[in-house]
Amino acid sequence: MATDREQQLMRHAFALAQNGPERGVNPRVGCIIATPDGTVLSEGWHMGAGTPHAEVAALSTLAKDAARGATAIVSLEPCNHTGRTGPCVDALLDAGIARVVFAASDPGRHSRGGGARLAAAGVDVEGGVLAADAEALLGDWLPTARLHRPLVTLKWASSLDGRTAAPDGSSMWITGPESRADAHLLRARHDAIAVGTGTVLADDPSLTARDADGVLLDAQPVPVVFGRRAVPESAALRRHPHPFTHYDGRDLSHDLSDLRDRGVRTLFLEGGATLASALLRAGLVDTIVAYLAPALIGGDRLALTDIGVRTIDDALRPQLTDVTRTGDDVRLTLSMKGNR
């Protein structure tokens, strides 16, 4: 069991971790090397992809053999794979570390298992120390590592009867300015924003996050397009601050996994109905944000198409987590947990 001093040092490791970048493919991690009685020998944190991991950063400040017999306190289980850098497990073993205390377990496909390997090599290992605090620190990195894909938020704006456009195809504007401003703030809070090629060809969206005056917000999501058709050379998204990524959408699970490998943890899905329905059918949507306007349109231009429901018993039933009024509209936020 971790001592009071080790728990105190773990909290300091959490603080060290926050010196690292908040976004990107890698997590924030802090590490402290201490003597068995709790005297700190060195400390370090991960500063971003391609830089030394926290354990290596801490060890690098010590003379050879200075860490032999010492304890490593790490906010995340030491990694067990070779990526841009070598396995932290190897670095700890080479340094002669005798005990490792870590908080959250690493769920990564290739990086997990470090604790077990250390224990097999004779190192005293204590995991799960202040794990809840570590999970809060890791934020959305942890669920995306477990899912091997970004967290996906599906957003639509529709009339009260679920129509996203009138029978003639016109859709500007179903919802009011307050809802549109709110949606742009949501765009800015996500790493990437996605649409299908049908939406690109029909609406020519810019996929930028803007204020009420049309000025670009500081944070801009990376544009992503799914579909087999080409994006026109004149498309507005080609003028986006970030270059767009294009997938044919034949294997959505693979595409989302690739996005995560590129550092995308959160994906904001704007449309259209074909792409949204495909992701729902595949169980790849985590949150739904629906703006409902007090308008009735009728017709067949629905927010969704076939999502695999054949009887009422098959209906997807997301959990309502928030209801907020945005001007004359209502924003519903729902969790798909339990429907994946």
Side-chain angles (χ1 to χ4, degrees):
M1 183 174 178
T3 66
D4 290 344
R5 176 57 174 164
E6 287 172 339
Q7 292 186 47
Q8 180 186 37
L9 292 177
M10 183 65 77
R11 291 189 178 91
H12 184 52
F14 294 157
L16 291 173
Q18 294 182 66
N19 291 317
E22 186 175 3
R23 309 304 301 170
V25 68
N26 288 351
R28 286 171 146 182
V29 183
C31 175
I32 295 170
I33 307 297
T35 62
D37 67 0
T39 301
V40 174
L41 297 175
S42 65
E43 56 188 39
W45 60 89
H46 182 52
M47 294 188 289
T51 66
H53 288 190
E55 298 93 322
V56 175
L59 289 169
S60 67
T61 65
L62 297 175
K64 185 179 180 181
D65 294 330
R68 194 160 299 280
T71 298
I73 294 96
V74 196
S75 59
L76 179 67
E77 180 182 13
C79 71
N80 189 34
H81 80 121
T82 299
R84 295 186 186 181
T85 59
C88 292
V89 167
D90 287 353
L92 294 169
L93 291 174
D94 291 344
I97 292 291
R99 176 169 165 79
V100 172
V101 179
F102 67 85
S105 296
D106 189 338
R109 277 180 187 167
H110 307 297
S111 56
R112 63 189 174 195
R117 186 170 160 221
L118 287 165
V123 177
D124 182 18
V125 177
E126 181 79 30
V129 176
L130 303 179
D133 293 334
E135 294 200 9
L137 169 69
L138 290 165
D140 55 27
W141 180 87
L142 200 57
T144 62
R146 289 169 175 160
L147 293 167
H148 313 301
R149 63 167 176 80
L151 297 176
V152 176
T153 297
L154 167 59
K155 168 259 178 181
W156 70 71
S158 72
S159 61
L160 193 61
D161 54 345
R163 269 62 186 181
T164 57
D168 65 356
S170 59
S171 60
M172 297 174 63
W173 296 101
I174 290 177
T175 54
E178 296 86 354
S179 293
R180 297 196 294 277
D182 188 72
H184 276 273
L185 291 177
L186 288 180
R187 286 184 176 188
R189 292 172 191 158
H190 286 73
D191 294 332
I193 180 171
V195 293
T197 50
T199 297
V200 172
L201 296 172
D203 299 338
D204 193 26
S206 66
L207 302 185
T208 53
R210 307 180 299 277
D211 65 17
D213 296 321
V215 177
L216 295 182
L217 300 178
D218 290 339
Q220 289 294 323
V222 173
V224 181
V225 178
F226 292 91
R228 302 174 193 176
R229 288 176 287 183
V231 174
E233 290 298 323
S234 60
L237 68 85
R238 290 188 180 274
R239 299 186 291 278
H240 194 283
H242 301 296
F244 71 93
T245 300
H246 193 173
Y247 297 100
D248 63 19
R250 295 173 190 268
D251 186 339
L252 290 171
S253 293
H254 175 273
D255 297 341
L256 292 184
S257 180
D258 183 71
L259 278 175
R260 187 187 178 277
D261 289 343
R262 294 168 180 255
V264 173
R265 298 187 198 171
T266 54
L267 179 66
F268 196 56
L269 178 59
E270 284 264 0
T274 301
L275 177 60
S277 301
L279 285 163
L280 277 170
R281 281 197 310 272
L284 297 174
V285 174
D286 303 284
T287 302
I288 293 174
V289 175
Y291 294 90
L292 299 184
L296 299 173
I297 297 175
D300 58 1
R301 294 180 179 268
L302 296 168
L304 298 173
T305 58
D306 178 16
I307 58 172
V309 173
R310 296 294 173 263
T311 71
I312 196 64
D313 291 336
D314 296 335
L316 302 181
R317 298 189 182 275
Q319 177 185 358
L320 184 64
T321 59
D322 182 71
V323 179
T324 298
R325 184 163 180 169
T326 51
D328 291 332
D329 309 321
V330 175
R331 184 192 70 204
L332 305 180
T333 304
L334 306 101
S335 169
M336 290 300 296
K337 188 175 181 180
N339 285 274
R340 289 198 292 263

